[in-house]
Amino acid sequence: VEELTKNQREHWESIYRDFPERFGTEPSHIGLGALKILMEEGANTILELGCGQGRDTVLFLQEGMKVIALDYSRTCLNQLEDNARVLGLEGLLELKEQDLREGIPFPDDSIDACFSHMFFTMQLSEDELAAIFSEVLRVLRSGGFNIYSVRNIDDPHFLHGTHMGEDMWEMNGFVVHYFSEEKVRRLAKGYDIVSIDEFTEGPLPKRLYQVVLRKP
Ligand SMILES: C[S@@+](CC[C@H](N)C(=O)[O-])C[C@H]1O[C@@H](n2cnc3c(N)ncnc32)[C@H](O)[C@@H]1O
């Protein structure tokens, strides 16, 4: 169990090295939904957690938003940087290699909105998740959205593979934290819950919650 915890970062590095388009180049369902909300809101500066190779990052940049994209994999950040340069969008993009368990290195009330697709569903204990949610709350401006997705307990892979504690299960080297609706609500401490909806992605299909929280 400890080995896998240490190795998740290395695992992502090798996945991104081997698969330059691991999640495709098309924006995700939740990325498109978030874009609509953020445009209505007039959000300018978006913080993206666990951006990966940036299928949704590029979507936001193309709309002229400034994106601060964080991930602990240097490989995917380099790929995203190259891609943004090819598209002429690098001026709007700020990249930061950051293990988010160590906090979010930005000032209070400095960010218009936070977006993450399948980041909070990584190998993070509920205590670690609570700490990251409170960091997001700290850096968001009042009224700012925290829009995210997580795999939920109706996902076909929940309870399969190797149990890694809490609601975390490892399969093919990937550790996934599956969320019940109660867990979504517990982690919304300090936020207003705007919506919790279900969607699916990919051939499995993965079953996910898309959650919209707002800082009061
Ligand atoms: C399932 S991938 C999703 C990538 C991207 N959001 C997408 O949907 O295409 C999760 C991402 O979270 C990153 N990640 C996992 N744990 C992290 C941590 N503790 N700190 C920073 N990034 C992390 C991984 O490197 C990976 O890029």
Side-chain angles (χ1 to χ4, degrees):
V1 171
E2 262 174 33
E3 260 308 287
L4 271 164
T5 309
K6 274 197 234 113
N7 284 345
Q8 282 295 285
R9 188 173 189 165
E10 200 33 60
H11 185 60
W12 280 108
E13 290 286 13
S14 84
I15 289 291
Y16 288 138
R17 252 182 263 124
D18 294 347
F19 302 95
E21 294 177 1
R22 175 63 176 79
F23 294 102
T25 54
E26 293 300 311
S28 69
H29 170 79
I30 184 177
L32 290 165
L35 177 67
K36 200 163 167 279
I37 296 173
L38 299 177
M39 286 181 74
E40 280 166 13
E41 186 64 14
N44 288 318
T45 307
I46 316 297
L47 176 70
E48 186 178 1
L49 309 180
C51 59
Q53 291 161 322
R55 54 177 164 160
D56 295 316
T57 322
V58 167
L59 175 72
F60 301 138
L61 294 174
Q62 280 170 333
E63 293 300 326
M65 295 172 177
K66 179 176 184 247
V67 186
I68 305 168
L70 274 50
D71 203 290
Y72 68 8
S73 158
R74 176 41 60 188
T75 304
C76 68
L77 294 178
N78 290 342
Q79 291 164 329
L80 173 53
E81 187 170 37
D82 289 347
N83 191 17
R85 199 174 296 122
V86 169
L87 296 167
L89 298 167
E90 74 277 13
L92 292 168
L93 178 62
E94 182 180 332
L95 295 163
K96 194 160 174 51
E97 183 181 333
Q98 177 77 18
D99 185 333
L100 287 153
R101 289 170 294 191
E102 290 161 9
I104 300 180
F106 294 101
D108 297 3
D109 308 306
S110 62
I111 303 286
D112 287 336
C114 180
F115 173 80
S116 60
H117 183 23
M118 295 193 294
F119 163 70
F120 290 118
T121 205
M122 295 291 93
Q123 189 178 28
L124 301 162
S125 67
E126 191 163 333
D127 283 350
E128 288 171 333
L129 287 166
I132 302 172
F133 274 92
S134 100
E135 271 293 90
V136 173
L137 194 60
R138 180 183 65 75
V139 300
L140 279 178
R141 66 161 165 80
S142 172
F145 287 102
N146 177 0
I147 303 175
Y148 73 90
S149 74
V150 282
R151 288 172 72 174
N152 68 41
I153 57 172
D154 294 324
D155 189 282
H157 280 176
F158 179 51
L159 303 177
H160 293 274
T162 309
H163 189 215
M164 304 296 290
E166 301 187 17
D167 294 317
M168 292 181 275
W169 292 81
E170 178 272 333
M171 198 185 281
N172 305 322
F174 291 99
V175 180
V176 175
H177 194 147
Y178 296 90
F179 278 51
S180 61
E181 189 178 327
E182 293 72 54
K183 192 176 304 233
V184 170
R185 292 185 181 279
R186 279 201 298 277
L187 289 165
K189 197 170 160 220
Y191 293 88
D192 294 331
I193 298 177
V194 177
S195 59
I196 305 172
D197 295 299
E198 279 199 83
F199 71 110
T200 62
E201 185 175 289
L204 187 59
K206 292 173 181 141
R207 294 181 67 104
L208 302 117
Y209 282 133
Q210 88 176 28
V211 181
V212 181
L213 306 179
R214 192 165 204 184
K215 180 171 176 172

